[in-house]
Amino acid sequence: MNEGAAGSGQSGLGPRGSLVMSLTLTLLLGMLSLLVLFPAAEHLRSLRDGERADATLHTSGSCMIGQCRVEFEADGRTVVADLPTGSGGGKQSVGAAVTVRYQADDPQVVARDEDVGGGGAALFAWMSAGAALLFLVLSAVAAVFLVRQRRKASAGAGVAG
């Protein structure tokens, strides 16, 4: 009788499923770091030498994913600009005072002064990259386990046959 994993008291994906899942998570976390979070952190750092202005939080939301807006004065006009992905300050309410830095030639490119070192994007980029590395190691362990299991099965088949 062939009992499935559910009937045998075992749970989980098995070694092949674990290998595929670990490689998938490695790929997704690596892409998140390389394609989203590291560029977001670099964008925040690029505003380090930008013009400084006092601003108020115009729209609050999840600033980490770029859903906050600030209002400030630049060259005598009022500017309402989106804070970039990776910004902090999401727990502040609308109307809260913040200091921002913006590009002199384009005031729509703005970041909170506290975030120009890379902000939360840099932290999450390194955490995501570390998790990708962890899943890569787990994939290697699963691959070694599969090879050993296959060798043991083929050695057993050769003796029994």
Side-chain angles (χ1 to χ4, degrees), residues 49-144:
D49 297 326
E51 301 292 323
R52 183 179 286 211
D54 292 325
T56 57
L57 193 60
H58 182 269
T59 307
S60 67
S62 179
C63 295
M64 181 53 82
I65 59 173
Q67 294 182 338
C68 290
R69 300 180 85 182
V70 291
E71 182 178 329
F72 61 98
E73 293 287 323
D75 296 326
R77 62 185 177 113
T78 301
V79 177
V80 177
D82 295 323
L83 288 175
T85 302
S87 297
K91 295 184 182 194
Q92 294 177 322
S93 58
V94 172
V98 294
T99 302
V100 296
R101 290 199 180 251
Y102 65 92
Q103 284 184 352
D105 57 340
D106 185 6
Q108 291 294 319
V109 180
V110 64
R112 287 181 347 128
D113 194 39
E114 294 89 2
D115 295 333
V116 296
L123 173 66
F124 285 121
W126 285 109
M127 288 174 52
S128 179
L133 189 59
L134 172 71
F135 282 109
L136 185 61
V137 169
L138 290 175
S139 298
V141 170
V144 168

Side-chain angles (χ1 to χ4, degrees), residues 7-21:
S8 66
Q10 295 178 353
S11 63
L13 300 171
R16 280 193 183 138
S18 295
L19 177 62
V20 170
M21 185 63 76

